[in-house]
Amino acid sequence: MQKLTIIKIGGNVIDNSENLHHFLEDFTALDGPKILIHGGGKIATETSASLGIEAKMVDGRRITDIETLRVVTMVYAGLINKNIVAQLQAKGVNAIGLTGADGNIIKAKKRPVKEIDYGFVGDLDENSVSVTSLGSLLQAGFVPVLCAITHDGETQLLNTNADTIASAVAVAMSAQYETHLVYCFEKKGVLKDVNDDATVVREIRSADFEPLKADGTVAGGMIPKLHNAFEAINKGVTSVYIGKADELAEIATGTFGTKLLK
C-alpha cells in the first residue's frame, strides 16, 4: 500500500503568519500523497466580535447558531482555507481547498439536541467520508486542504470539529492507503511533566494507555486526544503522531513528538 500522510493543524499555527509559513515549508517537503486539515477557531471568534456577534462556548465547544455558521463558513472555507492554498501553490504544491460539500467529500449529520443545543454542528460516522472523491484527487496529483465545514446532503452546511474530521478521513482512507495521522499542536507531544518539553514520551502503544492515565502521565485534554487516536488505530490507521507544529520536519527522522501504535 502507498503511504498517505494526513495532518491536522490548529490555531497555534493558523493564528501566526510566521508559524504558518514555517509549517507549510515543512509540509511541502513531505514525500508522497498528503492531506491537510484545519480549523481556525480564534480567527472565527475575532471575526464574530468585529461583526457584533458574540461567540457562545460550552465546555470549550462552539455553539453554532445560524449567524455563527455564516461566520465560520466565511472564515474557515474562505479566508483561512484560500490563504493556505495560495501559500502552498507558491511553494509548488498543487493544493485544492475544500469543504465537505465539495465533491460530497464529507457528509455529516446535525448533532441531535439533548441537554445542550449545539446548533448547526455536524457529527460523523463510518460512512461520512467519500474515499472515491478524495482518492481521485490524490491520484490526480492534488493535495486536498480540508476545512472544518461539512454538509448534510440536503443543502445544510455544518460546523464539524477538525480533529474529528482528521480521524474520520484517516480511518476511511486506510482502506486504500497506509495512513499516518499527525496532530500538530503547541506541545512537543505527550509529556511526562507537562511543564518540561524534555520529557516527551516517544512511543505509546494501546496497552500503555490505561497505565499512563492511572499514573497521571496522560491527563486533562490529552486523554480524549489519545482515546480518539487509538480508536483510529484500531480501525485501520497505521500510526498517529502528536507533536509540535514547528518540528514537523523531524517526522522524517522518527524524532517528531509522540508516536502512537497498536
Coordinates of all heavy atoms in Angstrom, one line a residue, residues 160-244:
T160 N -18.0 21.2 11.9 CA -17.6 19.9 12.4 C -16.2 20.1 13.0 O -15.3 20.7 12.3 CB -17.6 18.8 11.3 OG1 -19.0 18.7 10.9 CG2 -17.2 17.5 11.9
N161 N -15.9 19.5 14.1 CA -14.6 19.5 14.8 C -13.5 19.0 13.8 O -13.6 17.9 13.3 CB -14.7 18.7 16.1 CG -13.4 18.7 16.8 OD1 -12.5 17.9 16.5 ND2 -13.3 19.6 17.7
A162 N -12.5 19.8 13.7 CA -11.4 19.4 12.7 C -10.6 18.2 13.2 O -10.2 17.4 12.3 CB -10.4 20.6 12.6
D163 N -10.5 18.0 14.5 CA -9.8 16.8 15.0 C -10.6 15.5 14.6 O -10.1 14.5 14.2 CB -9.7 16.8 16.5 CG -8.6 17.7 17.0 OD1 -7.8 18.2 16.2 OD2 -8.4 17.8 18.2
T164 N -11.9 15.7 14.7 CA -12.8 14.6 14.3 C -12.7 14.3 12.8 O -12.7 13.1 12.4 CB -14.3 14.9 14.7 OG1 -14.3 15.2 16.1 CG2 -15.2 13.7 14.4
I165 N -12.7 15.3 12.0 CA -12.6 15.2 10.6 C -11.3 14.5 10.2 O -11.2 13.5 9.4 CB -12.6 16.5 9.8 CG1 -14.1 17.1 9.9 CG2 -12.2 16.4 8.4 CD1 -14.2 18.5 9.3
A166 N -10.2 14.9 10.9 CA -8.9 14.3 10.6 C -8.9 12.8 10.9 O -8.4 11.9 10.1 CB -7.8 14.9 11.4
S167 N -9.5 12.4 12.0 CA -9.6 11.0 12.4 C -10.4 10.2 11.4 O -10.1 9.1 10.9 CB -10.1 10.8 13.8 OG -10.2 9.5 14.1
A168 N -11.6 10.8 11.0 CA -12.5 10.1 10.1 C -11.9 9.9 8.7 O -12.1 8.9 8.1 CB -13.8 10.9 10.0
V169 N -11.2 10.9 8.3 CA -10.6 10.8 6.9 C -9.5 9.8 7.0 O -9.3 9.0 6.1 CB -10.0 12.2 6.5 CG1 -9.0 12.1 5.3 CG2 -11.1 13.2 6.2
A170 N -8.7 9.7 8.0 CA -7.6 8.8 8.2 C -8.1 7.3 8.2 O -7.6 6.5 7.5 CB -6.8 9.0 9.4
V171 N -9.2 7.1 8.9 CA -9.8 5.8 9.0 C -10.3 5.4 7.7 O -10.1 4.2 7.2 CB -10.9 5.7 10.1 CG1 -11.7 4.4 10.0 CG2 -10.3 5.9 11.5
A172 N -11.1 6.3 7.0 CA -11.7 5.9 5.7 C -10.6 5.6 4.7 O -10.7 4.7 3.9 CB -12.6 7.1 5.3
M173 N -9.6 6.4 4.6 CA -8.5 6.3 3.6 C -7.6 5.1 3.8 O -6.9 4.6 3.0 CB -7.7 7.5 3.5 CG -8.5 8.8 3.0 SD -9.5 8.6 1.6 CE -8.2 8.4 0.3
S174 N -7.7 4.5 5.1 CA -6.9 3.3 5.4 C -7.3 2.1 4.6 O -6.5 1.1 4.5 CB -6.9 3.0 6.9 OG -8.2 2.6 7.3
A175 N -8.4 2.2 3.9 CA -8.9 1.0 3.1 C -8.0 1.0 1.8 O -7.9 -0.1 1.2 CB -10.3 1.2 2.7
Q176 N -7.5 2.1 1.4 CA -6.7 2.2 0.2 C -5.2 2.6 0.4 O -4.4 2.4 -0.5 CB -7.3 3.2 -0.8 CG -8.7 2.8 -1.3 CD -9.2 3.8 -2.4 OE1 -8.6 4.8 -2.7 NE2 -10.4 3.5 -2.9
Y177 N -4.9 3.1 1.5 CA -3.5 3.6 1.8 C -3.1 3.2 3.1 O -3.8 2.9 4.0 CB -3.5 5.2 1.7 CG -3.8 5.8 0.4 CD1 -5.1 6.0 0.0 CD2 -2.7 6.2 -0.4 CE1 -5.3 6.6 -1.3 CE2 -2.9 6.8 -1.7 CZ -4.2 7.0 -2.1 OH -4.5 7.6 -3.3
E178 N -1.7 3.2 3.3 CA -1.1 3.0 4.6 C -1.2 4.4 5.2 O -0.4 5.3 4.9 CB 0.3 2.6 4.5 CG 1.0 2.4 5.8 CD 2.5 2.3 5.6 OE1 2.9 1.3 4.9 OE2 3.3 3.1 6.1
T179 N -2.2 4.7 6.1 CA -2.4 6.1 6.6 C -1.7 6.4 7.9 O -1.7 5.6 8.8 CB -3.9 6.3 6.7 OG1 -4.4 5.4 7.6 CG2 -4.6 6.3 5.4
H180 N -1.1 7.6 7.9 CA -0.4 8.1 9.1 C -1.0 9.4 9.4 O -1.0 10.3 8.6 CB 1.1 8.2 8.8 CG 1.8 6.9 8.5 ND1 2.4 6.1 9.5 CD2 1.9 6.2 7.3 CE1 2.8 5.0 8.9 NE2 2.5 5.0 7.6
L181 N -1.6 9.5 10.6 CA -2.3 10.7 11.0 C -1.4 11.5 12.0 O -0.8 11.0 12.9 CB -3.6 10.3 11.7 CG -4.4 11.4 12.4 CD1 -4.9 12.5 11.4 CD2 -5.7 10.8 13.0
V182 N -1.3 12.8 11.7 CA -0.4 13.7 12.5 C -1.2 14.9 13.1 O -1.8 15.7 12.3 CB 0.8 14.3 11.7 CG1 1.7 15.1 12.5 CG2 1.5 13.1 11.0
Y183 N -1.3 15.0 14.4 CA -1.9 16.1 15.0 C -0.8 17.1 15.5 O 0.0 16.8 16.3 CB -2.7 15.7 16.3 CG -4.0 15.0 16.0 CD1 -4.1 13.6 16.2 CD2 -5.1 15.7 15.5 CE1 -5.3 12.9 15.9 CE2 -6.3 15.0 15.2 CZ -6.4 13.7 15.4 OH -7.6 13.0 15.1
C184 N -0.8 18.3 14.9 CA 0.2 19.3 15.2 C -0.5 20.3 16.2 O -1.5 20.9 15.9 CB 0.7 20.0 14.0 SG 1.7 19.0 12.9
F185 N 0.2 20.5 17.4 CA -0.4 21.5 18.3 C 0.8 22.2 19.0 O 1.9 22.2 18.5 CB -1.4 20.8 19.3 CG -0.8 19.9 20.3 CD1 -1.4 19.9 21.6 CD2 0.2 19.0 20.1 CE1 -0.9 19.1 22.6 CE2 0.7 18.2 21.1 CZ 0.1 18.2 22.4
E186 N 0.6 22.8 20.2 CA 1.6 23.7 20.8 C 2.6 22.9 21.6 O 3.7 23.5 21.9 CB 0.9 24.8 21.6 CG 0.2 24.3 22.9 CD -1.2 23.8 22.6 OE1 -1.6 23.8 21.4 OE2 -1.9 23.5 23.5
K187 N 2.4 21.7 22.0 CA 3.3 20.9 22.8 C 4.2 20.0 21.9 O 3.8 19.6 20.8 CB 2.6 20.1 23.8 CG 1.8 20.9 24.9 CD 2.7 21.6 25.8 CE 1.9 22.3 26.9 NZ 2.8 23.0 27.9
K188 N 5.3 19.5 22.5 CA 6.2 18.6 21.8 C 5.7 17.2 21.7 O 6.2 16.4 20.9 CB 7.6 18.6 22.5 CG 8.4 19.8 22.2 CD 9.8 19.7 22.9 CE 10.7 20.8 22.4 NZ 11.3 20.7 21.1
G189 N 4.6 16.9 22.3 CA 4.0 15.6 22.3 C 3.4 15.3 23.7 O 3.0 16.2 24.4
V190 N 3.2 14.0 24.0 CA 2.8 13.6 25.3 C 4.0 13.8 26.3 O 5.0 13.2 26.0 CB 2.3 12.2 25.3 CG1 1.8 11.8 26.7 CG2 1.1 12.0 24.4
L191 N 3.8 14.6 27.3 CA 4.9 14.9 28.2 C 4.7 14.2 29.6 O 3.6 14.2 30.1 CB 5.0 16.4 28.4 CG 5.2 17.3 27.2 CD1 5.2 18.7 27.5 CD2 6.4 16.9 26.4
K192 N 5.8 13.6 30.1 CA 5.7 13.1 31.5 C 5.5 14.2 32.5 O 4.8 14.1 33.5 CB 7.0 12.3 31.8 CG 7.1 11.0 31.1 CD 8.4 10.3 31.5 CE 8.5 9.0 30.7 NZ 9.8 8.3 31.0
D193 N 6.1 15.4 32.2 CA 6.0 16.6 33.0 C 5.5 17.7 32.0 O 6.2 18.1 31.1 CB 7.3 17.0 33.7 CG 7.2 18.3 34.5 OD1 6.1 19.0 34.4 OD2 8.1 18.6 35.2
V194 N 4.2 18.1 32.2 CA 3.6 19.0 31.2 C 4.3 20.3 31.1 O 4.2 21.0 30.1 CB 2.1 19.2 31.6 CG1 2.0 20.1 32.9 CG2 1.3 19.8 30.5
N195 N 5.2 20.6 32.1 CA 5.9 21.9 32.1 C 7.3 21.7 31.6 O 8.1 22.7 31.6 CB 5.9 22.5 33.5 CG 4.6 22.9 34.0 OD1 3.8 23.5 33.2 ND2 4.2 22.4 35.2
D196 N 7.7 20.5 31.1 CA 9.1 20.2 30.7 C 9.1 19.6 29.4 O 8.8 18.4 29.2 CB 9.8 19.4 31.8 CG 11.3 19.1 31.5 OD1 11.7 19.6 30.4 OD2 11.9 18.5 32.3
D197 N 9.4 20.3 28.3 CA 9.4 19.8 27.0 C 10.5 18.6 26.8 O 10.4 17.9 25.7 CB 9.7 20.9 25.9 CG 8.5 21.7 25.7 OD1 7.4 21.3 26.0 OD2 8.6 22.8 25.1
A198 N 11.4 18.5 27.7 CA 12.4 17.5 27.6 C 11.9 16.1 28.0 O 12.6 15.1 27.9 CB 13.6 17.8 28.4
T199 N 10.6 16.0 28.5 CA 10.1 14.8 29.0 C 9.1 14.1 28.0 O 8.2 13.4 28.4 CB 9.4 15.0 30.4 OG1 8.3 15.8 30.2 CG2 10.4 15.6 31.3
V200 N 9.3 14.3 26.7 CA 8.4 13.7 25.7 C 8.5 12.2 25.8 O 9.5 11.5 25.9 CB 8.9 14.1 24.3 CG1 8.0 13.4 23.3 CG2 8.8 15.6 24.1
V201 N 7.3 11.6 25.8 CA 7.2 10.1 25.7 C 7.2 9.8 24.2 O 6.2 10.2 23.5 CB 5.9 9.6 26.4 CG1 5.8 8.1 26.2 CG2 5.8 10.0 27.8
R202 N 8.2 9.1 23.7 CA 8.4 9.0 22.3 C 7.5 8.0 21.6 O 7.1 8.2 20.5 CB 9.9 8.6 22.0 CG 10.9 9.7 22.2 CD 10.6 10.8 21.2 NE 11.5 12.0 21.4 CZ 11.3 13.2 20.9 NH1 10.3 13.4 20.1 NH2 12.1 14.2 21.2
E203 N 7.0 7.0 22.4 CA 6.2 6.0 21.7 C 5.2 5.4 22.8 O 5.6 5.1 23.9 CB 7.0 4.8 21.2 CG 6.2 3.9 20.3 CD 7.1 2.8 19.6 OE1 7.9 3.2 18.7 OE2 7.1 1.7 20.0
I204 N 3.9 5.3 22.4 CA 2.9 4.7 23.3 C 2.1 3.7 22.5 O 1.6 4.0 21.4 CB 2.0 5.8 23.8 CG1 2.7 6.9 24.6 CG2 0.9 5.2 24.7 CD1 1.9 8.1 25.1
R205 N 2.0 2.5 23.0 CA 1.1 1.5 22.4 C -0.2 1.5 23.2 O -0.3 1.9 24.3 CB 1.8 0.2 22.4 CG 3.1 0.1 21.5 CD 3.7 -1.2 21.3 NE 4.7 -1.2 20.3 CZ 4.5 -1.3 19.0 NH1 3.3 -1.6 18.5 NH2 5.5 -1.2 18.1
S206 N -1.2 0.9 22.5 CA -2.5 0.9 23.1 C -2.6 0.3 24.5 O -3.3 0.8 25.4 CB -3.5 0.2 22.2 OG -3.1 -1.1 21.9
A207 N -1.7 -0.7 24.7 CA -1.7 -1.4 26.1 C -1.1 -0.5 27.1 O -1.3 -0.7 28.3 CB -0.8 -2.7 26.0
D208 N -0.4 0.6 26.7 CA 0.2 1.5 27.7 C -0.7 2.6 28.1 O -0.5 3.3 29.1 CB 1.5 2.2 27.1 CG 2.5 1.2 26.6 OD1 2.7 0.2 27.2 OD2 3.2 1.5 25.6
F209 N -1.8 2.8 27.4 CA -2.7 3.9 27.6 C -3.3 4.0 29.0 O -3.2 5.0 29.7 CB -3.8 3.9 26.5 CG -4.7 5.1 26.5 CD1 -4.3 6.4 26.9 CD2 -6.1 5.0 26.2 CE1 -5.1 7.5 26.9 CE2 -6.9 6.1 26.2 CZ -6.5 7.3 26.5
E210 N -3.9 2.9 29.4 CA -4.6 2.9 30.7 C -3.6 3.1 31.9 O -3.8 3.9 32.8 CB -5.4 1.6 30.9 CG -6.6 1.5 30.1 CD -7.6 2.6 30.3 OE1 -7.7 3.1 31.4 OE2 -8.3 3.0 29.3
P211 N -2.4 2.4 31.9 CA -1.4 2.7 32.9 C -0.9 4.1 32.9 O -0.7 4.7 34.0 CB -0.2 1.7 32.5 CG -0.9 0.6 31.8 CD -2.0 1.3 31.0
L212 N -0.8 4.8 31.8 CA -0.3 6.1 31.7 C -1.4 7.1 32.2 O -1.1 8.1 32.8 CB 0.1 6.5 30.3 CG 1.4 5.9 29.8 CD1 1.6 6.2 28.3 CD2 2.6 6.5 30.6
K213 N -2.7 6.7 32.0 CA -3.8 7.5 32.6 C -3.7 7.3 34.2 O -3.9 8.3 34.9 CB -5.1 7.1 32.1 CG -5.5 7.7 30.8 CD -7.0 7.6 30.5 CE -7.5 6.2 30.4 NZ -9.0 6.2 30.1
A214 N -3.5 6.1 34.6 CA -3.5 5.8 36.0 C -2.4 6.5 36.8 O -2.7 7.0 37.9 CB -3.4 4.3 36.3
D215 N -1.2 6.6 36.2 CA -0.1 7.3 36.9 C -0.1 8.8 36.7 O 0.8 9.5 37.2 CB 1.2 6.7 36.6 CG 1.7 6.9 35.2 OD1 1.2 7.8 34.5 OD2 2.6 6.2 34.7
G216 N -1.1 9.3 35.9 CA -1.2 10.8 35.7 C -0.3 11.3 34.6 O -0.4 12.6 34.3
T217 N 0.4 10.5 33.9 CA 1.2 11.0 32.7 C 0.3 11.6 31.6 O 0.6 12.6 31.1 CB 2.1 9.9 32.1 OG1 3.0 9.4 33.1 CG2 2.9 10.3 30.9
V218 N -0.8 10.8 31.4 CA -1.8 11.3 30.4 C -3.0 11.8 31.3 O -3.6 11.1 32.0 CB -2.2 10.2 29.5 CG1 -3.4 10.7 28.6 CG2 -1.1 9.7 28.7
A219 N -3.2 13.1 31.1 CA -4.3 13.7 31.9 C -5.0 14.9 31.2 O -4.5 15.3 30.1 CB -3.7 14.2 33.3
G220 N -6.1 15.4 31.7 CA -6.7 16.5 31.1 C -7.1 16.3 29.7 O -7.6 15.3 29.3
G221 N -6.9 17.4 28.9 CA -7.3 17.3 27.5 C -6.5 16.3 26.6 O -7.0 16.0 25.5
M222 N -5.4 15.8 27.1 CA -4.7 14.8 26.4 C -5.4 13.4 26.4 O -5.2 12.6 25.4 CB -3.3 14.6 27.0 CG -2.4 13.8 26.1 SD -2.1 14.4 24.4 CE -1.1 15.9 24.8
I223 N -6.3 13.2 27.4 CA -7.0 11.9 27.4 C -7.9 11.7 26.2 O -7.8 10.7 25.5 CB -7.8 11.8 28.7 CG1 -6.8 11.6 29.9 CG2 -8.7 10.6 28.7 CD1 -7.5 11.6 31.3
P224 N -8.8 12.7 25.9 CA -9.6 12.4 24.7 C -8.8 12.4 23.4 O -9.2 11.7 22.5 CB -10.6 13.6 24.7 CG -10.0 14.6 25.6 CD -9.2 13.9 26.6
K225 N -7.7 13.2 23.3 CA -6.9 13.1 22.1 C -6.3 11.7 21.9 O -6.4 11.2 20.8 CB -5.7 14.1 22.3 CG -6.0 15.6 21.9 CD -4.7 16.4 21.9 CE -5.0 17.9 21.7 NZ -5.6 18.2 20.4
L226 N -5.8 11.1 23.0 CA -5.2 9.8 22.8 C -6.3 8.7 22.6 O -6.1 7.8 21.9 CB -4.4 9.4 24.0 CG -2.9 9.7 23.8 CD1 -2.6 11.2 23.5 CD2 -2.1 9.2 25.0
H227 N -7.5 8.9 23.3 CA -8.6 8.0 23.1 C -9.0 7.9 21.6 O -9.1 6.9 21.0 CB -9.8 8.4 24.0 CG -11.0 7.6 23.8 ND1 -11.2 6.3 24.3 CD2 -12.1 7.8 23.0 CE1 -12.3 5.8 23.9 NE2 -12.9 6.7 23.2
N228 N -9.2 9.1 21.0 CA -9.5 9.2 19.6 C -8.5 8.6 18.7 O -8.7 8.0 17.7 CB -9.8 10.7 19.2 CG -11.1 11.2 19.9 OD1 -12.0 10.4 20.3 ND2 -11.2 12.5 20.0
A229 N -7.2 8.9 19.1 CA -6.1 8.4 18.3 C -6.0 6.8 18.3 O -5.9 6.2 17.2 CB -4.8 8.9 18.9
F230 N -6.2 6.2 19.4 CA -6.2 4.8 19.5 C -7.4 4.1 18.8 O -7.4 3.1 18.3 CB -6.0 4.3 20.9 CG -4.6 4.4 21.4 CD1 -4.3 5.2 22.5 CD2 -3.6 3.8 20.8 CE1 -3.0 5.3 23.0 CE2 -2.3 3.9 21.2 CZ -2.0 4.7 22.4
E231 N -8.5 4.9 18.9 CA -9.7 4.4 18.2 C -9.4 4.4 16.7 O -9.8 3.4 16.0 CB -10.9 5.4 18.4 CG -11.9 4.8 19.4 CD -13.3 5.5 19.2 OE1 -13.5 6.4 18.4 OE2 -14.1 5.1 20.0
A232 N -8.8 5.4 16.2 CA -8.4 5.4 14.7 C -7.4 4.3 14.4 O -7.6 3.6 13.4 CB -7.7 6.8 14.4
I233 N -6.5 4.0 15.3 CA -5.5 2.9 15.0 C -6.2 1.6 15.0 O -6.0 0.7 14.2 CB -4.4 2.9 16.1 CG1 -3.5 4.1 15.9 CG2 -3.6 1.6 16.1 CD1 -2.5 4.4 17.0
N234 N -7.2 1.4 15.9 CA -7.9 0.2 16.0 C -8.8 0.0 14.8 O -9.3 -1.2 14.5 CB -8.8 0.1 17.3 CG -7.9 -0.1 18.5 OD1 -6.9 -0.7 18.4 ND2 -8.4 0.4 19.6
K235 N -9.1 1.1 14.0 CA -9.9 1.0 12.8 C -9.1 1.0 11.5 O -9.7 1.2 10.5 CB -10.9 2.1 12.8 CG -12.0 2.0 13.9 CD -13.0 3.2 13.9 CE -14.0 3.0 15.0 NZ -14.9 4.2 15.1
G236 N -7.8 0.8 11.6 CA -7.0 0.7 10.4 C -5.9 1.6 10.2 O -5.1 1.5 9.3
V237 N -5.9 2.8 10.9 CA -4.8 3.7 10.7 C -3.5 3.1 11.2 O -3.5 2.5 12.3 CB -5.1 5.1 11.5 CG1 -4.0 6.0 11.4 CG2 -6.4 5.7 10.9
T238 N -2.4 3.3 10.5 CA -1.1 2.7 10.8 C -0.5 3.3 12.1 O -0.1 2.6 13.0 CB -0.2 2.7 9.6 OG1 -0.8 2.1 8.5 CG2 1.2 2.1 10.0
S239 N -0.5 4.6 12.1 CA 0.1 5.3 13.3 C -0.5 6.7 13.4 O -1.0 7.2 12.4 CB 1.6 5.4 13.1 OG 2.0 6.2 12.1
V240 N -0.4 7.2 14.6 CA -0.8 8.6 14.9 C 0.3 9.3 15.6 O 0.9 8.7 16.6 CB -2.1 8.6 15.8 CG1 -2.5 10.0 16.0 CG2 -3.2 7.9 15.1
Y241 N 0.7 10.5 15.2 CA 1.7 11.3 15.8 C 1.0 12.5 16.5 O 0.1 13.1 15.9 CB 2.7 11.8 14.8 CG 3.6 10.7 14.2 CD1 3.1 10.0 13.1 CD2 4.9 10.5 14.6 CE1 3.9 9.0 12.5 CE2 5.7 9.5 14.0 CZ 5.2 8.8 13.0 OH 6.0 7.8 12.4
I242 N 1.5 12.9 17.6 CA 1.1 14.1 18.3 C 2.3 14.9 18.6 O 3.2 14.4 19.3 CB 0.3 13.8 19.5 CG1 -1.0 13.0 19.2 CG2 -0.1 15.1 20.3 CD1 -1.8 12.6 20.4
G243 N 2.5 16.1 18.1 CA 3.7 16.9 18.3 C 3.6 18.3 17.9 O 2.5 18.8 17.5
K244 N 4.6 19.0 18.1 CA 4.7 20.5 17.9 C 4.8 20.8 16.4 O 5.6 20.2 15.7 CB 5.9 21.1 18.6 CG 5.8 22.6 18.9 CD 6.8 23.0 19.9 CE 6.6 24.4 20.3 NZ 7.6 24.8 21.4

